[in-house]
Amino acid sequence: MATTDTQINTKAARGSLRFRRIKNSIFLSGLSVFAQLYLFQPVLPMLCKEFGVTPAQSSWAVSASTMGMAAGLFIFSFKADAVPRKHLMGGAMLVSAVLTLLSVFIRDFHLLIAVNFVKGAVLSGVTAVALAYLSEEVATTSLGLAISLYLSGNAIGGMAGRIVVMLIAGWANWRWAAGCIGATSLILGLFFTKRLPASKHFVAMPMNIGQKWQQMGVFFRQPVMVLVYFAASLLMGCFVSVYNYTGFRLESPPFSLPHYVIAGIFLMYTVGVLGTMVAGRLSDGIPPARVIRVFIPLMAAGLLLMLIPQLVALAAGLGIFTFSFFATHTLASRLISQEAKEGKSTATSLYWLFYYAGSSFIGTSTGVVLTGWGWSTFIAALLGLVLAGGSLVFRAGRRPVIE
């Protein structure tokens, strides 16, 4: 749909009441999604004991949610443009909160896995259209800030879904932790549906599967889109790998840290929030394709620091890597939302689909590298992936991007 001058002038600008409501609501949506998506990760040992499953089997409590997210994103890439943005996001937040609360009462592990898969699919309703909503409703001069706030909510939610859950579960049990996250998410969902402004620039398009396939084909023929999709897959896979396996490094010599200290590594997500804010503000004044070139080398530098067998160096490297990843993710998200002239929700759904595909495949594969060849080879493999992702980003940056 072509955007008229009148529509541009009515988009929410920084300082307006509409913009404040949008940024606050969209921040809370990211918080809710990622708190629920990863809430079982820190309590996997508890699931092993209660349900009598192996550690590998218990990991399905997390994997089912992310697999559901990927499946839902593919479905919503066809359906999302037919449903009002606010209705889809608000409904997804409320239904997912109910499913999280339901998991408190489940006594069968396989049923828990099934519910988590469905919950991940439902949560994808937020992820599929949040960036499209922002690009449609927020003025271009303020879009970077709005996107960075949404991704900051993702980062803080991901951190809360690990640290807060672990603390509550340690004090009580995992069911209390899930109940707290579910109840909080329900409150956030109710607040979201009340406060988020309805779309002004969205026009529902009836679902046409053939047309959607054609639209996807258009995106895959646009070099910038393809390059950013694959870069997101590689870089997210590196990020998940670092946070999956750094705990193993810290519990081994020369560090030999206790588990409650190791859990503190997830506090580095706060550095990621800073990365989204810095990148968002920079991209409001400088083309994101230029800004993103700064953060890829910083990701590599962070990984190199993590090779040094000193705790201060490893912590500093992890902080730099996390800051740079979230900044890169913010800028890549903006590139996709700006490049898609039509079908923005389809474009962003495909971005998230590649994002989670990289998370699943690379996050598991690099564990094999760590087990077989050790920490140095593991970091070297991640460096290779970062450089490969960086080369794709640099190629995308050399092509004309719609600003």
Side-chain angles (χ1 to χ4, degrees):
M1 182 183 70
T3 303
T4 66
D5 292 337
T6 301
Q7 288 175 319
I8 292 173
N9 292 333
T10 58
K11 287 189 174 185
R14 192 178 308 181
S16 67
L17 175 61
R18 180 176 173 84
F19 179 77
R20 288 197 299 272
R21 287 189 171 185
I22 288 174
K23 72 173 185 178
N24 291 337
S25 299
I26 213 73
F27 171 82
L28 294 178
S29 73
L31 191 71
S32 174
V33 168
F34 281 81
Q36 294 184 82
L37 193 65
Y38 291 109
L39 76 90
F40 282 101
Q41 190 173 55
V43 297
L44 296 183
M46 296 182 183
L47 299 184
C48 290
K49 293 178 181 178
E50 178 168 339
F51 293 105
V53 296
T54 66
Q57 291 170 329
S58 72
S59 69
W60 281 102
V62 179
S63 297
S65 294
T66 54
M67 289 175 64
M69 174 71 80
L73 286 169
F74 181 74
I75 294 170
F76 281 121
S77 66
F78 291 93
K79 182 67 176 175
D81 286 330
V83 182
R85 309 292 197 208
K86 180 178 179 178
H87 293 172
L88 179 57
M89 290 188 286
M93 290 177 69
L94 293 173
V95 172
S96 62
V98 171
L99 289 171
T100 297
L101 289 170
L102 179 64
S103 67
V104 174
F105 306 100
I106 293 176
R107 302 292 174 180
D108 180 80
F109 185 68
H110 294 94
L111 180 58
L112 181 66
I113 298 305
V115 169
N116 283 353
F117 179 86
V118 174
K119 181 178 70 177
V122 170
L123 284 170
S124 69
V126 179
T127 305
V129 300
L131 293 177
Y133 172 89
L134 290 176
S135 64
E136 291 166 352
E137 304 302 322
V138 174
T140 303
T141 54
S142 304
L143 183 60
L145 174 60
I147 290 177
S148 67
L149 283 168
Y150 169 63
L151 297 178
S152 295
N154 292 356
I156 294 173
M159 181 177 67
R162 294 167 171 91
I163 296 176
V164 174
V165 165
M166 181 192 66
L167 294 175
I168 295 174
W171 170 69
N173 58 47
W174 72 265
R175 296 182 187 275
W176 276 99
C180 289
I181 293 295
T184 301
S185 296
L186 185 60
I187 293 170
L188 293 179
L190 292 171
F191 181 89
F192 179 91
T193 55
K194 182 176 178 61
R195 299 294 291 178
L196 182 75
S199 297
K200 287 186 176 181
H201 308 297
F202 168 73
V203 177
M205 300 174 61
M207 183 175 66
N208 184 314
I209 294 178
Q211 193 175 57
K212 281 292 181 181
W213 279 115
Q214 186 177 28
Q215 190 176 67
M216 288 182 185
V218 170
F219 291 145
F220 283 117
R221 288 193 295 273
Q222 295 179 18
V224 171
M225 304 286 271
V226 175
L227 292 170
V228 175
Y229 285 155
F230 280 100
S233 182
L234 293 174
L235 297 177
M236 177 55 177
C238 287
F239 177 75
V240 168
S241 297
V242 166
Y243 276 91
N244 275 354
Y245 304 115
T246 297
F248 292 95
R249 172 65 168 166
L250 292 175
E251 71 180 7
S252 304
F255 305 110
S256 303
L257 297 178
H259 290 289
Y260 64 86
V261 175
I262 293 173
I265 66 173
F266 295 115
L267 288 171
M268 284 296 181
Y269 269 59
T270 57
V271 181
V273 174
L274 179 61
T276 67
M277 300 300 294
V278 170
R281 290 186 180 276
L282 287 174
S283 66
D284 282 337
I286 306 172
R290 294 180 185 173
V291 182
I292 201 170
R293 298 179 186 182
V294 176
F295 293 105
I296 298 293
L298 282 176
M299 286 183 69
L303 287 174
L304 287 172
L305 278 174
M306 294 180 72
L307 283 172
I308 301 174
Q310 296 179 2
L311 186 58
V312 172
L314 189 146
L318 182 61
I320 293 170
F321 176 84
T322 303
F323 175 89
S324 305
F325 168 77
F326 276 101
T328 301
H329 176 35
T330 301
L331 296 165
S333 301
R334 180 162 185 172
L335 279 172
I336 290 297
S337 65
Q338 289 181 180
E339 185 73 7
K341 297 178 182 179
E342 297 181 355
K344 290 182 182 293
S345 63
T346 300
T348 54
S349 290
L350 289 172
Y351 172 82
W352 287 108
L353 181 59
F354 274 79
Y355 186 86
Y356 285 108
S359 167
S360 301
F361 178 73
I362 296 174
T364 299
S365 301
T366 52
V368 177
V369 175
L370 178 65
T371 302
W373 291 279
W375 181 255
S376 296
T377 305
F378 168 75
I379 292 294
L382 296 187
L383 275 171
L385 292 173
V386 166
L387 294 175
S391 68
L392 297 177
V393 168
F394 292 155
R395 288 182 62 191
R398 287 197 297 268
R399 295 176 178 274
V401 180
I402 298 172
E403 300 293 347

